Structure formats: structure tokens, C-alpha cells
Amino acid sequence: MEKPNKAILLIHEIYGVNDHMKFVKQELSKLEADIICPNLLSRDIPYRYEEEDMAYQNFVQNIGIDEGSRQINNMLIQLKQEYEEVGVIGFSVGATISWLCSENNLCDFVIGCYGSRIRDYINRRPVCPTLLIFPAEEQTFDVDCLINSLEQKREPLLKIKKFYGFHGFMNPFSKTFNKESADEAFQTVSDFLEKHLADH
């Protein structure tokens, strides 16, 4: 079997490469692409959801969005040498890192699911097709306000979708999981990928 000429970097949340990432990898395995989920944490065992505060502290103190982006960019540079097409899909903090990748010319597409810190990087200009997915509600900020700010910039490559639910609604292992919204969101993701992973 020949190797796919497309790769997708899957960027995890603060918890690391957990069951949710394995689930997403499984969901994406239908695509004719290699799905790579690197571990950005300095430990092999992912954090449990009950350890959210510890996981958050660890991410902020030891990795952070800038270092996470640097690691992902280095991987993208390598993958670009091996594959014709390379994109990123991130969740939560991984989505914010994905958003930062949207303007670096290394990605062919970017997908970010509920990246709440995107609000700190609102002035980025995507240079590749970019899909951002948000829940209807977030505890820490006004989702509609952020979406309006992003849409006002009229970025032609940016597509934004909002689904009923809370942060983590696409994660079957989270208490905020919403199956109906998750199914719709994954359908949106796969439609977007089918369009942008077109056979060259």
C-alpha cells in the first residue's frame, strides 16, 4: 500500500494524548491521510479530567502557547518535506496553536475547535483555508463577541461555525459532550477536509 501524500497534525488539549485524541484520530482515519498526534507535554501519561488544574498549570508553566507553536511549526517543516499536503487540527489550547499556524505558510488547512485563547490573537490573518468551531457558550468569554470580531475582518479564507453546547462538546469523554452537536461538527470538519484535501 502506498503512503498517503497528506498528513494531519492533531494538536491535543492541556491533558495530553488522551482517549479523546485517540477517538478523534479514529474519526479522521477514514480520510486518506496520515494522522499524527505529537505529545507536547513533558510526560508520557496524559492528565485525567479531574486533574484539570494541574494540567493547566503544567501547560502554562512548562509549555505555553508560544513553545507549543514552535514545536508544531518544527514538525510542520519536517512533514512538508515528506508530504504534499499538511494541515493541523487542534482542540482547546491545541486550537489556539492551530490558529497561530494559519498564517505561517506551512499549512494547507487549519481547523481549530473551541480555542478560547484565540481571543488573545484576534489579528492573525489566515493564509490557508481555516475553519474555527465554537460552542454556543463559553464560561470565560462571550463567544458571539469573539465571532463578530473575527468576522468583521472579512478574512476570505476563514470559515466560522458555532454549535449548541459548551467547551468540550465534541469530546465523548467529557461531561459537556453533546452527541448531536458533535456529530454535526465532525460532519462540518469532514466536509471541509474533503474540499481542501482534494486530490491533486
Side-chain angles (χ1 to χ4, degrees), residues 85-128:
E85 256 187 298
V86 179
V88 293
I89 297 182
F91 288 81
S92 198
V93 72
T96 302
I97 292 173
S98 299
W99 171 244
L100 298 184
C101 292
S102 71
E103 62 169 16
N104 67 8
N105 284 314
L106 291 170
C107 290
D108 293 290
F109 60 86
V110 163
I111 299 171
C113 303
Y114 36 85
S116 38
R117 302 308 316 183
I118 286 173
R119 65 188 190 276
D120 298 336
Y121 302 94
I122 211 152
N123 292 324
R124 301 298 163 122
R125 305 198 59 137
V127 294
C128 65

Side-chain angles (χ1 to χ4, degrees), residues 150-195:
L150 289 165
E151 284 181 336
Q152 273 172 355
K153 291 163 9 96
R154 301 205 188 316
E155 294 295 344
L157 294 167
L158 177 60
K159 187 176 178 189
I160 301 173
K161 286 280 197 187
K162 183 175 80 169
F163 295 93
Y164 177 78
F166 296 93
H167 193 95
F169 74 89
M170 293 171 76
N171 177 358
F173 305 95
S174 162
K175 54 185 184 293
T176 55
F177 179 58
N178 182 307
K179 184 167 184 345
E180 202 175 325
S181 295
D183 289 347
E184 286 176 33
F186 273 115
Q187 189 56 53
T188 301
V189 166
S190 80
D191 292 348
F192 177 85
L193 287 172
E194 274 178 25
K195 187 175 170 192

Side-chain angles (χ1 to χ4, degrees), residues 10 13 27 29-30 37 44-45 66 69 97 101 107 111-112 124 133 147 152-153 155 161 193 197:
L10 180 57
E13 301 171 293
E27 284 289 300
S29 65
K30 310 185 233 331
C37 186
D44 292 334
I45 300 162
D66 292 339
S69 298
I97 292 173
C101 292
C107 290
I111 299 171
R124 301 298 163 122
I133 287 175
I147 290 176
Q152 273 172 355
K153 291 163 9 96
E155 294 295 344
K161 286 280 197 187
L193 287 172
L197 278 175

